[in-house]
Amino acid sequence: ALLKQLYPAETGGEIRQRIRDGALVDDQVLAAGNLPTEEMWGAGKLRIWEAAFDSDAHSVSPPSIDGTELTVRVNEPVTVSPVVSDAETPVQSLRVRFDLDYDGTWDTDFLLEKTAQVTYTATGLHVIKAEVVDEHGFSAAALVKIEVVQPSGSSDAGVDGGDDPGSEEGCSCQAGRGGRGAEYPLLALLLLGALYVRRRGR
């Protein structure tokens, strides 16, 4: 029925010949002590791919995907890029989809773009599930674990007026810079010292 669907114009005899031509004759078929091949096996063992396409079936293996463990800061965008490979399908043809909050529901479709970008607003361990599929429909999945931590120096952030501890405007590194405002106390001390020395000299 499958061969007739693939080749509707062929007769029953032609399809039967396809099956015979694609059959496998191996050591089991030719083993000593068997009945004559035509009585025991017919033309051999059925091989549907060979019967349908007049060629040897491809050796197909599933793809592979490697998860990873990342550490990022709160409100810091992170790009998730699992490593994928396949023995038969070029990497550029593999497609990946993501379950970004690991709740059992896929948040993206299978896409040739094999990355996803996420931003977390709370600390803790977050998990993303990624699945890869090859051109034959074989798939594999892996988990990406992301540890989200507080940004460094967040306790004194906002010195320069920024409300966001993770923003550059509020970065505490600005607090240590000697700007023009730091010159006035120094000048005042020098002036007071000069006046004191002058008074002592009188």
Side-chain angles (χ1 to χ4, degrees):
L2 176 61
L3 293 175
K4 185 63 176 178
Q5 184 180 16
L6 290 173
Y7 304 100
E10 292 190 359
T11 65
E14 289 172 327
I15 289 177
R16 181 173 62 250
Q17 190 59 47
R18 278 185 174 276
I19 295 173
R20 296 178 64 87
D21 292 341
L24 173 65
V25 179
D26 59 10
D27 292 341
Q28 290 180 326
V29 174
L30 301 177
N34 280 346
L35 294 172
T37 299
E38 64 274 9
E39 295 182 22
M40 187 170 185
W41 292 97
K45 298 178 180 179
L46 177 64
R47 297 189 299 181
I48 191 62
W49 178 278
E50 286 78 1
F53 303 110
D54 298 322
S55 64
D56 292 333
H58 299 299
S59 175
V60 178
S61 60
S64 66
I65 182 170
D66 292 329
T68 186
E69 295 185 7
L70 303 172
T71 300
V72 299
R73 297 181 178 88
V74 170
N75 295 323
E76 178 182 72
V78 57
T79 299
V80 178
S81 303
V83 178
V84 297
S85 62
D86 187 80
E88 297 84 27
T89 303
V91 171
Q92 59 267 27
S93 298
L94 296 174
R95 294 174 293 136
V96 175
R97 65 179 177 178
F98 294 92
D99 177 359
L100 297 175
D101 45 11
Y102 197 36
D103 63 353
T105 300
W106 296 107
D107 297 297
T108 69
D109 294 326
F110 280 115
L111 299 173
L112 294 175
E113 175 62 42
K114 302 168 184 63
T115 63
Q117 189 174 81
V118 291
T119 302
Y120 296 104
T121 58
T123 60
L125 179 64
H126 299 265
V127 179
I128 293 175
K129 184 177 182 180
E131 184 179 24
V132 61
V133 65
D134 64 17
E135 59 188 5
H136 302 289
F138 289 94
S139 64
L143 299 181
V144 178
K145 298 179 180 180
I146 303 176
E147 183 70 28
V148 182
V149 299
Q150 287 288 353
S152 59
S154 60
S155 60
D156 62 343
V159 170
D160 294 317
D163 294 328
D164 183 3
S167 70
E168 292 183 0
E169 294 179 355
C171 178
S172 60
C173 61
Q174 301 292 326
R177 292 185 179 178
R180 293 183 60 185
E183 298 172 0
Y184 298 113
L186 180 59
L187 290 173
L189 287 174
L190 290 174
L191 182 58
L192 287 174
L195 290 174
Y196 179 75
V197 171
R198 187 174 178 183
R199 291 184 64 183
R200 289 286 299 259
R202 288 182 176 181

